[in-house]
Amino acid sequence: MILALKFYMFFCIVLFGIYIVRHFVFTGNRLLGKQKISYGDILTSELPTVSVLVPMHNEEKVAEKLLNRLVKVNYPKDKYEIVVINDHSTDKTGEIIETFKKENPEISIKVMHRTTGNRGKPVALNDGLKIASGEIVVVFDADYLPSKDLIRNLVVNFKNPKVGAVMGRVIPVNSGKNILTKLLELERIGGYQVDQQARYNLHLIPQYGGTVGGFRKNLVVKTGGFKENILAEDTELTFRLYVNGYEVVYSNRAECYEESPEDWSVRGRQIRRWSTGHNQVMFSYIFKLLTSKHLSFFQKVDGILLLMVYLVPVFLFLGILDAVALFFLGEANILTYSYFWVISMMIGTFGNFAPFYQVVAGAILDDSPAKAKLLPLLFFNFFFNTFYILLGFKDALIGLVKKHYPIWDKTQRYGDT
Amino acid sequence: MKEVILLLGVSLLFIPIFLTLILGFRNNSLSIDMEYVKDPFYFGNSFRKKISDVIFSSTIINKNLVKAKLSREELIVFGKINFINSVVYRNCVYVSFGENHIRKGTYFEKEILSTGNLYIGEDSVLRAVASNADIFLGKGVHIVRWIDAQGSIQLGEDCILGISSASKKEIKLAKGVRFTRLFGFPVCTNKNRIKNPSREIRENRYGKEVVIHADESLLIVGDIFADEKIELKNVKVIGNIFCHGDVYLENVEVGDENSYFSVIGNKVFISGNSNVSIFGYIQAGYLKGFVV
């Protein structure tokens, strides 16, 4: 028993050590390393056709803002269409969409009202794909505000035949709202400006994030569309593309505003959903990833670490219990075992989604270093996140054992920015 | 020893916080320019707009000199550049009407806008140049920031073109030129075009390295992407050429009058002795484009 507890402690120390090294490598790459050229730099008259898919469920607060931005984008109108999927809305979303379509006849706007069948983003996207005619599909959640050049900047990445999906950068529009939105902005800065870009630079696995991103329609349709029982359809698509020999590209200059959750309960439910979905993907793909012939050794290592992102807090939680047990059993000299443990916990998982060196590096690259002054508060965020990640892991585990799949829980919109 | 390691480890936590304190307290929110569109003519158009916006609100100092707020307060000289001693007025913005000549070895610290053809003498150094007609650069001219012509741009040997060069017509290259971004219709070494290619391939190319040395001219309809190197000889490409490493072009034509494309690499080498003609955009790292 004691041996098992000690072995688990050793396992945690090694695991967190690996994550620490990974975060330092990413930070170092962004501050000092060679940066890859962005495909977004390509200028050409020959652009592919694109369908912008917007799934909406009770989005009356934000629907019109997004649609207004989408009709203003800089993309040839004969190669561009907007597909809005009104997914079981019970508010005025449907009316807003129909009115908007009538008022903008110069743009091809297709509207689908889903009133039967399951609700949820993957199901809505699958239905949207049936009526989308573009070679490339770009997806936006309803609370996003795309800039004028964003569609071109994303779509031009697909000129590279190896690219299966592209992901742009998300920037919170309501970061000044309260302490939560400020902390979420820090996570976004570290997560995109450093983590995603470094993975692109190092030819690892940048992640398609489900919104402000796009994919090749034929690839997704050919491989069965979106898996409707998986709550992280974006992560699933990322790994599906990689094990099939395609790449995901991160485009740091394809920036788009999003609305961050403004209260803790909404954020908690969002994390729980992400954790459930991400762990579902981990159960499905960890062996496929290891056995894929298309991935390099380092891509496999990065892929495994990425798949385990929402499992690490579970290991950490158990590790804390383990340390306490060892201490009370008189088998742990705290300074012997824990000095690395304390450091790794503080450095490696501080903030969980964007460890703090990445946050500061990102803030410096964004010319906003003062933002990182709130960094110490991410420590509390970490415990909050851990709680909901544990709940999400439990949901995923139950789903795996009982084949009982969780319901899509949409993030609440505020529409006041 | 362990305690020292622990202390050092924990202190790592505070280094980023100290860094933010040292680097400043600005709390500007991350902003996105929602109207931004990637445009090779951005610098020239933006400068022309600024000049036209301030032309009637400027303070007149004398019949050729006004003071106006562009990005900041600037002195603007209206007149013929070749009649002005640029050594004295080199820190002024110039708006010059008709055809203009800049003498050999002249140094301008600020932007120049010429409404007619502009001839720049050898070894001159200019910050930024816009012309509503053609621009002719003598040997060894150094453009620090950007050059923009509504007409064509003819380069002398060994010119250095800062961060952006754009022409609505032709950019004629010469040996020894170094550049970062070029946009023209076409950007070329001479006016000879590749004759009708004898073979045609319709597919995209992707690889670690893509090396195509065709004995006779070859047409590729598709994009070419590589991680480390692209080397093309005797090829016409209707598509983009993109490499994270270096690009070498000899007797290569990209695009045509009806469709423009990009040639992008970390370094781009263009053989100045051959016929290279690119309709569209060329991009290399800062001053890592070479005509050899």
Side-chain angles (χ1 to χ4, degrees):
Chain A
M1 174 67 178
I2 288 171
L3 195 65
L5 290 174
K6 284 184 175 177
F7 176 78
Y8 184 75
M9 178 63 74
F10 176 73
F11 164 74
C12 283
I13 288 172
V14 171
L15 180 69
F16 296 133
I18 291 169
Y19 272 96
I20 289 170
V21 170
R22 178 178 181 255
H23 296 316
F24 278 120
V25 168
F26 289 174
T27 306
N29 172 271
R30 283 300 277 140
L31 292 178
L32 306 166
K34 189 178 175 187
Q35 307 301 302
K36 251 185 173 178
I37 310 167
S38 169
Y39 297 118
D41 287 339
I42 294 172
L43 284 170
T44 178
S45 55
E46 307 304 297
L47 291 163
T49 53
V50 59
S51 301
V52 175
L53 260 60
V54 188
M56 290 189 178
H57 170 70
N58 291 341
E59 304 286 9
E60 63 179 8
K61 289 182 180 171
V62 291
E64 198 171 353
K65 284 184 195 169
L66 170 64
L67 293 171
N68 269 323
R69 292 300 316 176
L70 286 175
V71 297
K72 286 180 187 161
V73 299
N74 169 45
Y75 206 85
K77 286 192 170 46
D78 58 330
K79 294 180 176 176
Y80 179 70
E81 69 175 11
I82 301 168
V83 179
V84 189
I85 308 119
N86 176 23
D87 189 18
H88 295 82
S89 293
T90 52
D91 63 0
K92 291 180 180 168
T93 303
E95 293 167 43
I96 292 168
I97 298 166
E98 288 297 343
T99 308
F100 192 84
K101 183 182 173 181
K102 279 178 197 157
E103 289 173 353
N104 294 277
E106 74 283 3
I107 299 281
S108 169
I109 301 176
K110 293 177 179 171
V111 180
M112 173 184 276
H113 296 281
R114 297 188 72 250
T115 52
T116 57
N118 290 337
R119 182 177 72 74
K121 191 172 171 184
V123 198
L125 288 176
N126 280 339
D127 279 358
L129 286 174
K130 290 173 189 164
I131 59 168
S133 61
E135 298 162 63
I136 306 301
V137 169
V138 171
V139 180
F140 285 104
D141 286 348
D143 57 329
Y144 282 69
L145 297 171
S147 56
K148 202 166 182 174
D149 207 32
L150 182 62
I151 303 292
R152 186 208 63 81
N153 202 320
L154 290 172
V155 171
V156 82
N157 287 273
F158 293 97
K159 285 287 172 185
N160 183 342
K162 279 284 279 183
V163 173
V166 62
M167 181 63 202
R169 184 180 175 188
V170 172
I171 293 178
V173 68
N174 56 339
S175 58
K177 197 77 182 176
N178 56 40
I179 193 69
L180 172 61
T181 56
K182 286 178 181 175
L183 293 176
L184 293 181
E185 185 184 37
L186 290 187
E187 289 186 354
R188 291 298 203 199
I189 287 172
Y192 284 93
Q193 179 64 278
V194 176
D195 202 279
Q196 286 268 52
Q197 180 65 37
R199 279 190 257 156
Y200 171 62
N201 288 340
L202 296 166
H203 205 65
L204 299 174
I205 300 193
Q207 196 180 348
Y208 169 68
T211 180
V212 197
F215 50 82
R216 288 184 198 276
K217 184 188 158 194
N218 65 339
L219 271 183
V220 173
V221 171
K222 202 168 65 182
T223 52
F226 287 101
K227 308 294 179 249
E228 297 182 359
N229 294 320
I230 288 182
L231 292 190
E233 86 294 341
D234 43 8
T235 309
E236 193 276 334
L237 180 61
T238 301
F239 285 95
R240 196 194 321 169
L241 290 170
Y242 271 99
V243 297
N244 282 294
Y246 289 89
E247 292 176 358
V248 177
V249 164
Y250 172 64
S251 185
N252 199 41
R253 271 178 280 169
E255 298 168 319
C256 186
Y257 280 129
E258 68 152 2
E259 196 183 73
S260 295
E262 293 178 9
D263 65 75
W264 291 92
S265 63
V266 174
R267 174 62 176 167
R269 289 203 305 276
Q270 187 184 48
I271 290 175
R272 183 174 181 168
R273 191 185 76 220
W274 288 353
S275 170
T276 307
H278 206 96
N279 283 309
Q280 285 177 304
V281 177
M282 185 195 62
F283 295 140
S284 304
Y285 277 91
I286 198 145
F287 290 110
K288 289 179 192 168
L289 183 83
L290 286 170
T291 54
S292 172
K293 293 171 185 169
H294 300 292
L295 293 157
S296 69
F297 171 75
F298 287 110
Q299 282 178 321
K300 286 182 182 181
V301 171
D302 187 50
I304 291 165
L305 295 175
L306 183 60
L307 279 174
M308 286 174 57
V309 160
Y310 284 86
L311 190 60
V312 168
V314 179
F315 284 133
L316 180 63
F317 176 73
L318 295 174
I320 292 168
L321 297 181
D322 188 41
V324 171
L326 281 171
F327 178 73
F328 283 109
L329 286 168
E331 291 291 334
N333 176 335
I334 290 297
L335 275 180
T336 304
Y337 283 112
S338 67
Y339 72 96
F340 190 77
W341 168 259
V342 171
I343 297 164
S344 63
M345 195 181 91
M346 292 177 87
I347 295 173
T349 55
F350 208 93
N352 192 287
F353 296 117
F356 71 53
Y357 268 78
Q358 293 186 192
V359 171
V360 174
I364 289 169
L365 290 168
D366 279 333
D367 198 23
S368 305
K371 283 187 181 298
K373 279 188 291 184
L374 286 174
L375 208 60
L377 294 179
L378 279 180
F379 185 70
F380 303 105
N381 222 19
F382 163 70
F383 286 109
F384 173 83
N385 290 348
T386 298
F387 176 71
Y388 282 97
I389 287 169
L390 285 171
L391 292 178
F393 179 74
K394 185 200 76 178
D395 294 342
L397 212 55
I398 290 170
L400 184 73
V401 176
K402 293 188 176 177
K403 303 291 175 201
H404 169 74
Y405 300 108
I407 297 166
W408 183 275
D409 182 19
K410 192 188 81 101
T411 305
Q412 184 186 318
R413 313 292 188 219
Y414 303 89
D416 53 357
T417 48
Chain B
M1 183 60 186
K2 286 169 189 166
E3 287 81 355
V4 173
I5 294 171
L6 178 63
L7 200 65
L8 284 173
V10 173
S11 69
L12 286 174
L13 178 67
F14 298 101
I15 291 172
I17 300 165
F18 291 137
L19 261 179
T20 63
L21 294 174
I22 292 163
L23 290 170
F25 286 93
R26 280 180 295 164
N27 199 16
N28 51 326
S29 59
L30 295 181
S31 65
I32 301 174
D33 182 352
M34 299 297 276
E35 300 306 312
Y36 170 79
V37 171
K38 189 174 170 69
D39 175 11
F41 296 96
Y42 170 80
F43 291 110
N45 290 343
S46 167
F47 178 60
R48 287 186 185 91
K49 185 173 183 306
K50 277 181 186 165
I51 292 290
S52 63
D53 286 349
V54 303
I55 205 156
F56 295 112
S57 59
S58 53
T59 310
I60 297 169
I61 295 172
N62 64 42
K63 70 172 188 176
N64 288 116
L65 194 64
V66 300
K67 189 187 269 188
K69 190 166 182 357
L70 298 175
S71 300
R72 57 186 172 193
E73 199 92 320
E74 302 277 12
L75 288 169
I76 305 175
V77 178
F78 288 88
K80 285 260 183 193
I81 289 172
N82 46 335
F83 297 139
I84 295 168
N85 184 343
S86 59
V87 176
V88 177
Y89 294 104
R90 69 184 188 188
N91 60 347
C92 295
V93 171
Y94 282 82
V95 178
S96 187
F97 304 106
E99 186 171 295
N100 294 282
H101 295 259
I102 293 175
R103 292 192 188 103
K104 182 179 175 181
T106 308
Y107 173 45
F108 286 99
E109 284 181 7
K110 303 284 182 180
E111 295 84 352
I112 293 169
L113 170 60
S114 168
T115 61
N117 290 344
L118 178 63
Y119 297 83
I120 303 172
E122 287 179 15
D123 300 321
S124 297
V125 179
L126 299 93
R127 178 180 162 79
V129 181
S131 167
N132 296 344
D134 300 331
I135 303 177
F136 301 85
L137 281 73
K139 188 179 176 188
V141 170
H142 184 183
I143 305 292
V144 178
R145 296 276 296 163
W146 53 263
I147 179 167
D148 175 297
Q150 302 283 317
S152 64
I153 299 174
Q154 304 262 345
L155 300 169
E157 288 184 1
D158 303 324
C159 286
I160 298 173
L161 306 173
I163 56 171
S164 173
S165 311
S167 162
K168 293 259 164 80
K169 293 181 181 170
E170 174 189 273
I171 296 181
K172 179 86 181 296
L173 301 170
K175 281 186 112 178
V177 166
R178 288 173 64 196
F179 61 87
T180 307
R181 298 187 191 106
L182 304 173
F183 189 85
F185 289 93
V187 179
C188 60
T189 51
N190 58 53
K191 287 190 184 295
N192 297 332
R193 303 279 295 273
I194 290 184
K195 289 172 189 165
N196 289 339
S198 50
R199 284 192 302 136
E200 183 178 322
I201 297 172
R202 287 184 175 268
E203 64 177 16
N204 296 319
R205 290 292 184 97
Y206 176 84
K208 194 173 174 185
E209 292 187 358
V210 176
V211 178
I212 302 170
H213 286 193
D215 293 331
E216 295 177 1
S217 58
L218 168 70
L219 172 66
I220 297 176
V221 181
D223 301 303
I224 301 173
F225 283 78
D227 293 326
E228 293 181 3
K229 184 170 89 170
I230 293 177
E231 205 173 297
L232 303 177
K233 189 175 176 184
N234 299 333
V235 180
K236 178 172 180 174
V237 183
I238 302 294
N240 300 287
I241 297 169
F242 188 105
C243 183
H244 292 294
D246 301 339
V247 177
Y248 301 83
L249 305 176
E250 183 180 341
N251 277 331
V252 171
E253 195 173 313
V254 178
D256 54 35
E257 286 82 356
N258 303 315
S259 49
Y260 67 87
F261 297 96
S262 293
V263 175
I264 296 176
N266 177 40
K267 290 180 184 169
V268 176
F269 296 91
I270 292 172
S271 168
N273 291 328
S274 71
N275 297 323
V276 173
S277 184
I278 291 147
F279 287 84
Y281 182 60
I282 310 177
Q283 179 186 304
Y286 180 65
L287 294 182
K288 287 181 179 174
F290 304 92
V291 183
V292 291

